Amino acid sequence: MNELSIIPIENGPLKISNLSNKTLKNIIFYDSLPITLEKSTLICRCGKSKNQPFCDGTHLKDNFTSEKKLKEEIIQVYNSKDVTVTFNRSICAGSAQCVNEFPSIYSSENSHDWINLDTETTQEIIKSIEGCPSSALSYSIENKQIMQDYEKENINILKNGPITVIGAVDLKIEHWSSFANKTKFTLCRCGASENKPFCDYSHASLKDSSYTF
Ligand code: FES
């Protein structure tokens, strides 16, 4: 059984629960500082708490809604001779790791053909996808989606950014985004994602300076 679960509370925070009978240390971080978890904690996802990263109840005054507004996912599919690469724009957290580390494969131009699989080996393509923190990039071989396994859980709450989660953390939702990896995903903290609870990079376009999370 997973030791950790995350419940997105409707119109409220994310509840992270420790299901083991021991105190968990060095698994959850906020801005690189560790958070010790006894039983559970409530993490703000409206972006307005004055006690970040924790919920302080501001979402109630602010009429925060956790409704998923996204109607249709934006999926792009690319084929090389050995792998099929899928990009789900709706869960891309905008880390730009792919563009920065593998510029020969991923173009920073915002076009439909921004992925070119002809320039690198299959090994490099897979490496580039495994580095994607949100699992917006995924790949399949012979029609079977390949998921990574992680030995240790990590919940990283990024300052003014999303929560990146890896490992056996049970996200309690009914409907997952297409091709999302259940052991690697990013969750919205700013409250503006159209695809809640997932981050869709909306935090990058927030102009309101009252958002510091
Ligand atoms: S979700 Fe409670 S204050 Fe943000």
Side-chain angles (χ1 to χ4, degrees):
M1 190 182 79
N2 296 350
E3 288 189 335
L4 282 160
S5 75
I6 301 179
I7 299 175
I9 295 175
E10 189 176 0
N11 300 331
L14 297 165
K15 181 178 183 183
I16 303 181
S17 297
N18 173 4
L19 309 175
S20 73
N21 48 19
K22 56 181 193 273
T23 301
L24 296 181
K25 293 180 179 165
N26 292 318
I27 289 180
I28 306 175
F29 296 85
Y30 173 54
D31 199 18
S32 303
L33 296 173
I35 295 174
T36 298
L37 185 63
E38 299 288 349
K39 285 291 161 214
S40 66
T41 188
L42 296 174
I43 301 296
C44 172
R45 64 167 173 151
C46 72
K48 293 292 184 79
S49 170
K50 299 278 182 295
N51 185 32
Q52 294 291 348
F54 305 104
C55 169
D56 69 354
T58 302
H59 63 273
L60 295 168
K61 292 180 239 151
D62 241 43
N63 294 325
F64 167 67
T65 168
S66 57
E67 183 194 353
K68 177 176 177 153
K69 298 200 176 124
L70 186 76
K71 296 281 179 277
E72 201 177 334
E73 292 181 308
I74 305 158
I75 311 274
Q76 296 170 352
V77 180
Y78 300 81
N79 288 297
S80 77
K81 66 179 172 40
D82 297 317
V83 293
T84 297
V85 173
T86 310
F87 175 61
N88 184 346
R89 172 68 191 83
S90 324
I91 52 171
C92 175
S95 75
Q97 213 155 316
C98 53
V99 173
N100 293 337
E101 292 181 19
F102 298 89
S104 58
I105 305 175
Y106 305 95
S107 160
S108 53
E109 300 287 317
N110 191 9
S111 73
H112 184 78
D113 291 326
W114 72 290
I115 298 179
N116 182 355
L117 301 181
D118 297 332
T119 55
E120 290 292 351
T121 61
T122 300
Q123 206 180 7
E124 278 298 285
I125 294 168
I126 290 173
K127 196 169 145 197
S128 74
I129 292 166
E130 290 182 342
C132 173
S134 63
S135 81
L137 285 166
S138 61
Y139 73 101
S140 53
I141 296 177
E142 293 176 353
N143 293 325
K144 185 174 182 302
Q145 187 178 354
I146 311 295
M147 305 269 192
Q148 289 156 267
D149 284 328
Y150 297 91
E151 278 176 21
K152 197 173 180 309
E153 300 84 3
N154 179 277
I155 298 178
N156 202 4
I157 305 168
L158 302 175
K159 183 114 175 105
N160 292 327
I163 303 180
T164 66
V165 180
I166 60 170
V169 179
D170 190 9
L171 177 64
K172 305 271 191 193
I173 56 171
E174 278 180 30
H175 302 292
W176 282 77
S177 286
S178 310
F179 305 101
N181 185 336
K182 291 183 180 168
T183 58
K184 183 174 71 168
F185 49 88
T186 49
L187 300 174
C188 172
R189 289 181 58 236
C190 70
S193 171
E194 300 268 295
N195 190 24
K196 295 186 190 78
F198 298 104
C199 168
D200 70 353
Y201 197 36
S202 291
H203 56 273
S205 30
L206 289 176
K207 302 275 186 289
D208 183 347
S209 60
S210 66
Y211 284 91
T212 43
F213 49 94

